[in-house]
Amino acid sequence: MNDTHIPLDEIAPLATALRFLAADAVERAGTGHPGMPLGMADLATVLFTRHLKFDASEPKWPDRDRFVLSNGHGSMLLYGLLHLTGYADVPLEELRNFRKAGALAAGHPEYGHFAGIETTTGPLGQGVATAVGMALAERMLAAEFCADLVDHRTWVFCGDGCLMEGVSQEAISLAGHLGLSKLTLVFDDNSTTIDGPTSVSTSDDQRKRFEASGWATIGVDGHDAEAIDRAFTYARASDRPTLIAARTRIGFGAPTKQGLSAAHGSPLGAGEVEAMRKALNWHHSPFEIPEAIAVAWKAAGRRGGVERAAWQRRLEATEPARRAAFSRRIEGRLDAAVEPAVQAAIAAQVAKPAAVPVRQGSQLATGVLASVMPELVGGSADLTSSVLSRPDGMPPLTPGDLAGRHISFGVREHGMAAALNGIALHGGFVPYAGTYLTFSDYARPAIRLAALMGIRTIFLMSHDSIGVGEDGPTHQPIEHLASLRAIPGLKVYRPADSVEALECWYDAVAGQGPSVMVVARQKVPQVRLSLAEGMPARRGAYLLAGGAERDLTLLASGSEVSLALETRELLAKHGLDAAVVSMPCWEVFARQDSAYQAAVLGDAPRFAIEAASPFGWERYTGRSDHIFGISTFGFSAPGSVVYGHFGLTPSAISEQILRLTSTKLKKAV
């Protein structure tokens, strides 16, 4: 076996070694999914030893192929591949500790645990849709920086479950439409699910389904190395995204469980593993890899070294400014021009205040950022003119022109959100895309994964309240803000006007982790009428009106901030000094030091105003009757009528506060 190409007739023992690493790790853990790794080991071995472009010694090489294990329950397949090919951060001990507390070899692959894990997978179908984003990012970056620097493929393994999930249809449809020819999906066609044979729940012809979406397809025996090799070669030459439907046997090699759902999600059992050793002629102890096989696998891990070195020479020979721009983009660093551009836009907005919908202020913000951030790419779920996701000057991306920066995702919120994650994970871009806040439920699985991975993805959500009005309760979000704020690691911004929109958008692109940018459809007055140091919205909450000495504090976010300011004026007529605190982002405010939080919140009674579920506001008010929110669904009527019905008007709020404070204002919450 040589360092460049593993001969096909030497594949079998390498695949067997991979199988037993998986089976032994699951057996040692007493939990796990051995069936898929045993069934897909031949496919994985041919891919990693002969087709995948990577260098285990430089796992973050920008021009490496991306490999996504969408059927992430078979995580031991990936962990075994990373260990065998020589990833330094995947020692054998990690495999021995599979699924144990503190082990990086977790039950499902988690981004950041090992360098070779390109995305967190487990929720079926998410890996497929995320990989579409990766493949799209590769084509977009190549259109900008040319094939000298960007020319790689995205490979995805998936199972029946991934293709049953609806998100997969959204993803394959988009990939076929855009002609993402460097995307290959390998379908583990083993005709087996947890409930038994796939015939109990589906009769789909997957190849015809993909072909209808513009994919090339090929069927193959998933245990025939030569046939697998030909299929991968075919995919690499295809001018369309390619599905390889690989007929496999789940639990391959297990004498009594091969081909049965019993091999899916439980250890095979000591007796079955021992019998499998005999059946596959593997006379080695658990986790023991014969030297010749270990050397061959390590050689496969070094196979891309020559190509990587050639790429490095091309990068070094690139014109300095272009090389610097590429490196900055890949590293995810902002250009120094971004902050001054935002500050200048804030100054211009303060100089000429205007009452506009916050979604329009959001569009202004993305336009300012896009002018100095070529890495900023946007899109929408067929709602571009509603959520205002495309600023002036941002060219559209089309199947014939992947150099565009605004993506028409179509009515595919689920797939869109996952593809955004893939674009962010690929590197070189800061992606965002928009839909209505009520439809964030369709995007929620991908939003949750973005938070779990801590990646910089921005989800734009417009039409953020009962202000939507006549569209009625299906389009009037109530519980959505609370449910999004409940996701750990997610920043939920709700700017009050165009100035706050600029500050919140800048905070989202300049920070780490994912964000949801929630903006109002209806026109609101500008609440920020003077310049302030440090972009105060970037601290999550700040004192907008009033001072340290106050009778009470009104807390609000988004379009309700102007409502709080009007309420303050009415209360003043009754001799009450109410401070107004704008709270565009709870999560950012929670990170501030206690002294700042205390200064903003004050020690006077607090009242919260938000046209949404009151859930969560008690942490700031201390009392449920100090929250002006909505605990039912809305109804179809003009927005002002709906606000009035729920008592969200300055007069109704001030009257209720006066009743609550008519006896004596308490100075502590």
Side-chain angles (χ1 to χ4, degrees):
M1 299 178 182
N2 56 64
D3 283 358
T4 0
H5 215 65
I6 304 296
L8 286 170
D9 61 3
E10 297 181 17
I11 290 293
L14 274 67
T16 302
L18 182 59
R19 283 190 172 95
F20 277 99
L21 276 181
D24 290 334
V26 170
E27 203 64 31
R28 180 181 173 90
T31 174
H33 300 75
M36 186 279 271
L38 297 181
M40 296 196 82
D42 296 308
L43 292 152
T45 303
V46 174
L47 177 62
F48 271 70
T49 61
R50 297 178 63 86
H51 293 273
L52 190 74
K53 183 173 74 170
F54 75 109
D55 182 353
S57 68
E58 291 289 343
K60 292 299 183 181
W61 170 29
D63 202 36
R64 69 191 181 280
D65 283 358
R66 270 51 168 188
F67 174 74
V68 174
L69 191 75
S70 187
N71 42 354
H73 54 271
S75 56
M76 265 310 306
L77 180 75
L78 179 55
Y79 301 152
L81 287 164
L82 297 180
H83 169 71
L84 289 168
T85 54
Y87 281 75
D89 60 344
V90 194
L92 190 60
E93 193 60 25
E94 280 293 343
L95 276 59
R96 290 179 181 274
N97 290 327
F98 175 57
R99 288 189 163 221
K100 301 298 185 184
L104 296 178
H108 292 79
E110 295 188 31
Y111 176 73
H113 280 203
F114 298 132
I117 300 174
E118 301 286 2
T119 182
T120 296
T121 55
L124 294 178
Q126 282 290 318
V128 172
T130 300
V132 169
M134 292 178 179
L136 176 56
E138 189 274 343
R139 289 291 79 201
M140 293 169 67
L141 203 62
E144 190 173 352
F145 287 98
C146 302
D148 280 355
L149 298 181
V150 186
D151 185 17
H152 53 267
R153 305 188 60 84
T154 303
W155 304 83
V156 194
F157 278 12
C158 78
D160 290 286
C162 292
L163 299 188
M164 289 186 199
E165 292 286 1
V167 65
S168 70
Q169 180 57 41
E170 296 184 18
I172 67 173
S173 176
L174 180 64
H177 171 70
L178 293 175
L180 301 180
S181 60
K182 289 183 174 290
L183 173 65
T184 301
L185 193 153
V186 182
F187 167 36
D188 183 22
D189 186 11
N190 59 29
S191 301
T192 309
T193 66
I194 293 175
D195 283 353
T198 53
S199 59
V200 303
S201 57
T202 182
S203 302
D204 294 349
D205 185 324
Q206 295 293 357
R207 290 185 63 181
K208 288 182 179 178
R209 174 190 172 199
F210 276 77
E211 288 163 2
S213 291
W215 287 56
T217 72
I218 184 172
V220 67
D221 179 347
H223 302 299
D224 181 335
E226 292 187 5
I228 294 168
D229 188 64
R230 288 194 299 270
F232 288 156
T233 301
Y234 170 83
R236 290 170 62 179
S238 176
D239 61 355
R240 292 177 289 168
T242 302
L243 169 73
I244 298 174
R247 179 65 70 178
T248 64
R249 294 190 290 282
I250 191 171
F252 180 91
T256 69
K257 296 185 177 182
Q258 175 178 285
L260 302 176
S261 59
H264 170 79
S266 300
L268 297 174
E272 186 79 3
V273 173
E274 187 58 33
M276 190 172 76
R277 277 185 158 76
K278 295 177 181 177
L280 296 181
N281 197 31
W282 186 256
H283 306 295
H284 307 285
S285 302
F287 302 102
E288 178 186 352
I289 306 297
E291 183 178 359
I293 292 176
V295 168
W297 268 115
K298 290 294 192 299
R302 296 192 303 270
R303 188 170 49 84
V306 172
E307 197 163 0
R308 181 187 60 78
W311 177 88
Q312 188 66 41
R313 289 192 294 272
R314 292 195 300 273
L315 177 65
E316 292 168 357
T318 300
E319 187 270 323
R322 181 166 169 262
R323 181 175 69 244
F326 179 80
S327 297
R328 180 188 68 77
R329 295 270 295 273
I330 291 298
E331 293 166 10
R333 293 181 286 107
L334 289 190
D335 189 279
V338 177
E339 184 171 352
V342 173
Q343 291 173 330
I346 291 171
Q349 195 67 30
V350 168
K352 293 184 177 181
V356 299
V358 184
R359 61 175 174 164
Q360 190 171 320
S362 170
Q363 185 183 44
L364 166 68
T366 56
V368 170
L369 292 172
S371 68
V372 287
M373 287 181 64
E375 64 266 40
L376 189 71
V377 295
S380 85
D382 197 48
L383 291 170
T384 300
S385 60
S386 292
V387 302
L388 302 184
S389 58
R390 183 183 170 194
D392 292 341
M394 180 177 276
L397 181 144
T398 65
D401 181 13
L402 298 185
R405 294 170 61 192
H406 189 273
I407 306 160
S408 293
F409 284 100
V411 189
R412 301 183 180 103
E413 280 91 354
H414 201 169
M416 175 183 76
L420 287 185
N421 286 346
I423 294 170
L425 287 161
H426 177 276
F429 296 103
V430 177
Y432 72 90
T435 186
Y436 294 164
L437 180 57
T438 48
F439 303 151
S440 63
D441 288 337
Y442 290 163
R444 188 179 181 89
I447 294 174
R448 184 177 187 271
L449 283 178
L452 185 60
M453 292 186 280
I455 57 177
R456 187 168 46 174
T457 308
I458 304 170
F459 305 93
L460 172 62
M461 301 293 170
S462 180
H463 295 53
D464 72 339
S465 72
I466 54 173
V468 171
E470 292 88 344
D471 279 339
T474 61
H475 284 54
Q476 294 170 2
I478 299 296
E479 74 280 15
H480 300 78
L481 286 171
S483 68
L484 289 168
R485 286 169 177 158
I487 299 177
L490 180 67
K491 294 173 289 186
V492 180
Y493 295 93
R494 195 167 181 246
D497 65 5
S498 296
V499 175
E500 281 198 4
L502 282 159
E503 295 178 353
C504 290
W505 266 102
Y506 177 67
D507 199 61
V509 301
Q512 301 297 318
S515 307
V516 176
M517 194 66 59
V518 182
V519 296
R521 182 188 73 168
Q522 69 271 25
K523 185 181 293 187
V524 296
Q526 185 167 315
V527 301
R528 289 277 296 281
L529 302 175
S530 61
L531 291 175
E533 288 187 22
M535 301 187 201
R538 294 195 66 197
R539 302 197 74 171
Y542 64 98
L543 193 60
L544 179 63
E549 296 297 322
R550 61 190 88 160
D551 293 322
L552 59 94
T553 301
L554 300 175
L555 311 172
S557 74
S559 53
E560 285 75 72
V561 172
S562 59
L563 183 57
L565 289 171
E566 292 180 57
T567 302
R568 164 184 159 83
E569 293 179 5
L570 292 180
L571 292 172
K573 294 178 181 179
H574 292 272
L576 291 179
D577 182 5
V580 174
V581 171
S582 177
M583 298 192 72
C585 187
W586 292 11
E587 297 78 19
V588 172
F589 183 59
R591 299 174 186 172
Q592 307 305 310
D593 62 77
S594 57
Y596 178 79
Q597 292 179 1
V600 169
L601 295 173
D603 59 3
R606 303 171 202 143
F607 297 83
I609 307 170
E610 190 169 65
S613 168
F615 189 85
W617 277 104
E618 285 185 5
R619 75 183 66 179
Y620 298 115
T621 66
R623 294 176 53 170
S624 60
D625 61 350
H626 280 207
I627 304 169
F628 297 90
I630 304 171
S631 297
T632 68
F633 292 115
F635 60 95
S636 181
S640 59
V641 174
V642 184
Y643 266 87
H645 173 81
F646 286 110
L648 293 173
T649 65
S651 59
I653 294 171
S654 60
E655 288 173 8
Q656 178 67 6
I657 290 175
L658 288 170
R659 282 195 295 270
L660 289 168
T661 58
S662 59
T663 53
K664 184 179 180 181
L665 284 172
K666 297 180 180 179
K667 289 295 183 178
V669 175

